[in-house]
Amino acid sequence: MTAKKTSPTLAQDRKSGRGRPRAFDADAAVDTAMTLFHRRGYDAVGVAELAEAIGVNPPSLYAAFGSKKGLFERALERYQESGGGFVARTLAEEGNLAELIGRVFLRAAETYSAADSLPGCLVLDSTRNCSDPEIRAVTDALRAEGREHIRRRIAREFPRAAEVLTDYVLVTLSGLSAAARDGMDPAALRRSAQIAADGFAAQLGGKG
């Protein structure tokens, strides 16, 4: 068996009592980073702030996650695994298309305005004004993946209208996220989601 090597930086941190603590919790670090990125956006959160919030020094943060981008990608994964992945999970449920999309809209309103979480969607909002094209590409890819997932489900019942109906769904989700971030009352957000769901169902008449 080969002994696990410890990087010089982390070893020095442990000896000096600085930076990464002995019981470093990577999952907790990712949760902390996810909160910061969600609250303020990728560009506004610096490495020094991330390191301080997590309880490490910047070299230790790089040792643990590779880069700020690497930590952001981990945060996005965590978000999708938790509340942020509700769209794919909802579309996998039983029900016709109108029922499923209605649930998506209502769950979006609930998720984006939940009292125990930050408003809006991390994927949709965290890189909206980002100056780094590599980071924008990360969330662009997630949005494209989500769009295709929605389009495929719509196409199962309404293939000829799949593109325009997918656009309807994405515009609605983006609007609900933006409204939540702007502080719309959760009850009002849910009412808007229901109106959007009714509108989507109405659009299905005569399509196929």
Side-chain angles (χ1 to χ4, degrees), residues 7 32 47 81 122 145 171:
S7 72
T32 297
V47 171
E81 291 166 359
L122 178 67
E145 180 181 329
V171 168

Side-chain angles (χ1 to χ4, degrees), residues 1 3 5-6 14 21 49 57 68 83 100 110 123-124 138 142 144 150 160 165-166 168 170 177 202 205:
M1 179 181 292
K5 295 182 179 179
T6 302
R14 291 186 182 121
E49 180 182 4
N57 63 20
K68 177 183 169 182
L100 293 179
E110 292 165 357
V123 176
L124 293 176
V138 172
L142 285 175
I150 294 166
R160 289 179 291 179
L165 290 176
T166 299
Y168 182 105
L170 293 176
S177 177

Side-chain angles (χ1 to χ4, degrees), residues 33-45 68 72 75-76 79 119-131 135-136 138-140 142-143 177 181:
M34 181 176 69
T35 297
L36 287 171
F37 288 132
H38 198 150
R39 179 180 293 126
R40 298 174 51 206
Y42 182 86
D43 275 6
V45 181
K68 177 183 169 182
F72 180 62
L76 288 171
Y79 181 74
C121 174
L122 178 67
V123 176
L124 293 176
D125 297 327
S126 61
T127 61
R128 191 175 297 279
N129 298 309
C130 181
S131 60
I135 297 301
R136 290 200 307 272
V138 172
T139 50
D140 285 349
L142 285 175
R143 285 193 289 269
S177 177
R181 289 185 71 88

Side-chain angles (χ1 to χ4, degrees), residues 91 105 109 124 154 157 197:
L91 293 179
F105 290 161
L124 293 176
I154 292 174
E157 295 183 42

